[in-house]
Amino acid sequence: MVRLREIMSRDPVTLTPDQSVEHAASLFLNHNVDGAPVVDENNRMVGLFTKSHLYRCVSQGINLQTPVSDLMTRDVFIGHPDDAVADILFTGIGRLPVVEGDQVVGMVTRTDLTRTFFNSFREVSVELETIINSTHNMIVSVDTEGRINVFNTAAEKSLGISASEVKGRNIIEVFPTSRLLDTLKTGKVEAMQKIMLNDHLYLSNRSPIVKDGILTGAVAVLQDISDLENLSAELVSVKELNEELDAIIESSFDGLYIADGRGITLRVNKAFEMITGISASEFLYRDVADIEKDGIVSESVTALALKKREPVTIIQQYERTGKTTLATGNPVFDKNGNN
């Protein structure tokens, strides 16, 4: 927050009550000012004398030797060094004496306020432009006539067009399929719309720009979702493949028992349950060594295959159900040779 002490002119030109209007005019001319605080012998402000008082003096034919105390404004609005500039920026005050304690320490003029406002506006504009150009997503906006006024760095990179080439041009000239003009007409938000540009798929969100209840333009924010779409397609393929694999496993007349490289049971099919007479819940997510230890099966062919790292065939006994099976265990290796 900008304070008055940061923009005020220090040790301002001052007048004393007994100095003449003519002296004030000379002072204003020599120091290029249009007003000065009137102070007493202790530098305490007692009034304000400005060019307006000079003009009134001339227009009314008042003697130029008249002391400024006869014409000055006594009821003066004053500021203090730590006052916020924003609090007095739009008050319409042409000049503001700054007082600390009871001493005049500075002067703020309309020029000072204008310069401060302009600098603040420029800083905010630069910061906003930096944020817009640092955004990963494309941002394109148009005015009410459909002319492009924002075209950020992401849009330049993605579309291969510089902002200088398109700014000020109608959006339809640059992107004939753009629907930003429709957003201008309807004044409605259009969210999550898929569009294709330069062989890339984008998710577009279009919104009207409304200021003080008045439509001033429209903006589109576009996110490249080509990679997400590809990933989504891959996930769908994997899901379909898994469903197909599940169907094959469940349709097999052979009993299938599948465990990971640590011997943890991942799944058994319906045929396995029918052959052994034991529910899948007795096996799922349990270590084959524990299953063998609990006596569910006399010996685990899976444990043997994992240990020997080669196919193994044995006779298995299921004591609970009295079933005897011929079981073959086949280890499966990844590309690094791990089970």
Side-chain angles (χ1 to χ4, degrees), residues 292 297 299-306 312-314 316 327-330:
E292 184 178 315
V297 63
E299 186 176 16
S300 171
V301 72
T302 302
L304 287 172
L306 288 172
V312 177
T313 299
I314 63 171
Q316 287 184 320
T328 298
N330 287 294

Side-chain angles (χ1 to χ4, degrees), residues 149-336:
N149 50 27
V150 172
F151 195 82
N152 72 344
T153 301
E156 290 182 307
K157 291 179 179 178
S158 299
L159 303 177
I161 309 173
S162 68
S164 59
E165 291 181 70
V166 300
K167 280 190 175 181
R169 293 174 60 187
N170 192 283
I171 187 71
I172 297 303
E173 294 178 23
V174 184
F175 305 110
T177 59
S178 172
R179 294 188 59 186
L180 272 178
L181 294 186
D182 295 333
T183 303
L184 284 174
K185 290 178 182 178
T186 64
K188 295 180 179 179
V189 174
E190 290 186 277
M192 310 293 284
Q193 303 293 310
K194 290 183 179 180
I195 63 172
M196 185 68 73
L197 289 172
N198 288 0
D199 297 325
H200 280 252
L201 187 64
Y202 293 90
L203 193 63
S204 173
N205 292 291
R206 295 180 289 272
S207 305
I209 301 172
V210 179
K211 181 180 179 182
D212 298 329
I214 299 174
L215 182 70
T216 61
V219 61
V221 180
L222 297 92
Q223 180 181 2
D224 190 341
I225 59 170
S226 301
D227 292 339
L228 291 177
E229 284 289 303
N230 293 335
L231 180 59
S232 177
E234 289 179 12
L235 290 174
V236 170
S237 297
V238 170
K239 181 181 178 182
E240 291 174 349
L241 185 60
N242 282 333
E243 289 174 350
E244 185 176 348
L245 181 60
D246 286 342
I248 292 171
I249 290 173
E250 289 302 329
S251 64
S252 174
F253 288 104
D254 294 324
L256 297 177
Y257 182 102
I258 302 170
D260 64 17
R262 298 172 300 163
I264 304 301
T265 309
L266 299 179
R267 69 173 301 165
V268 297
N269 68 350
K270 291 292 184 182
F272 182 88
E273 290 181 293
M274 293 177 64
I275 292 169
T276 62
I278 300 175
S279 170
S281 60
E282 297 277 355
F283 300 96
L284 289 176
Y285 312 118
R286 297 187 63 193
D287 192 309
V288 290
D290 293 334
I291 293 171
E292 184 178 315
K293 187 184 301 181
D294 289 347
I296 297 175
V297 63
S298 59
E299 186 176 16
S300 171
V301 72
T302 302
L304 287 172
L306 288 172
K307 181 179 180 180
K308 294 185 176 183
R309 295 172 61 83
E310 63 183 26
V312 177
T313 299
I314 63 171
I315 299 294
Q316 287 184 320
Q317 301 289 335
Y318 293 89
E319 297 177 3
R320 291 187 186 180
T321 59
K323 301 280 187 177
T324 299
T325 64
L326 179 66
T328 298
N330 287 294
V332 179
F333 303 97
D334 63 19
K335 62 182 181 179
N336 298 315

Side-chain angles (χ1 to χ4, degrees), residues 8-14 43 104-107:
M8 69 183 187
S9 299
R10 298 178 181 276
D11 300 322
V13 172
T14 59
N43 200 40
V104 177
V105 295
M107 190 75 156

Side-chain angles (χ1 to χ4, degrees), residues 52-213:
S52 296
H53 295 106
L54 281 176
Y55 297 152
R56 188 178 308 117
C57 185
V58 172
S59 66
Q60 295 178 4
I62 298 174
N63 191 329
L64 295 182
Q65 298 307 312
T66 301
V68 296
S69 58
D70 289 359
L71 301 170
M72 69 182 184
T73 300
R74 296 179 182 276
D75 186 13
V76 181
F77 185 83
I78 62 171
H80 302 89
D82 289 324
D83 289 346
V85 172
D87 293 340
I88 53 95
L89 192 58
F90 300 107
T91 59
I93 297 171
R95 58 201 60 79
L96 179 73
V98 181
V99 176
E100 188 168 28
D102 61 356
Q103 302 290 298
V104 177
V105 295
M107 190 75 156
V108 174
T109 65
R110 185 177 286 111
T111 300
D112 296 323
L113 293 174
T114 302
R115 185 185 302 111
T116 301
F117 175 77
F118 176 77
N119 289 340
S120 298
F121 175 78
R122 183 171 58 185
E123 289 174 5
V124 170
S125 297
V126 169
E127 183 175 358
L128 179 60
E129 185 175 359
T130 301
I131 292 172
I132 289 174
N133 284 323
S134 299
T135 302
H136 177 72
N137 294 337
M138 288 196 291
I139 300 177
V140 179
S141 75
V142 298
D143 61 17
T144 53
E145 301 299 321
R147 293 186 294 263
I148 297 172
N149 50 27
V150 172
F151 195 82
N152 72 344
T153 301
E156 290 182 307
K157 291 179 179 178
S158 299
L159 303 177
I161 309 173
S162 68
S164 59
E165 291 181 70
V166 300
K167 280 190 175 181
R169 293 174 60 187
N170 192 283
I171 187 71
I172 297 303
E173 294 178 23
V174 184
F175 305 110
T177 59
S178 172
R179 294 188 59 186
L180 272 178
L181 294 186
D182 295 333
T183 303
L184 284 174
K185 290 178 182 178
T186 64
K188 295 180 179 179
V189 174
E190 290 186 277
M192 310 293 284
Q193 303 293 310
K194 290 183 179 180
I195 63 172
M196 185 68 73
L197 289 172
N198 288 0
D199 297 325
H200 280 252
L201 187 64
Y202 293 90
L203 193 63
S204 173
N205 292 291
R206 295 180 289 272
S207 305
I209 301 172
V210 179
K211 181 180 179 182
D212 298 329

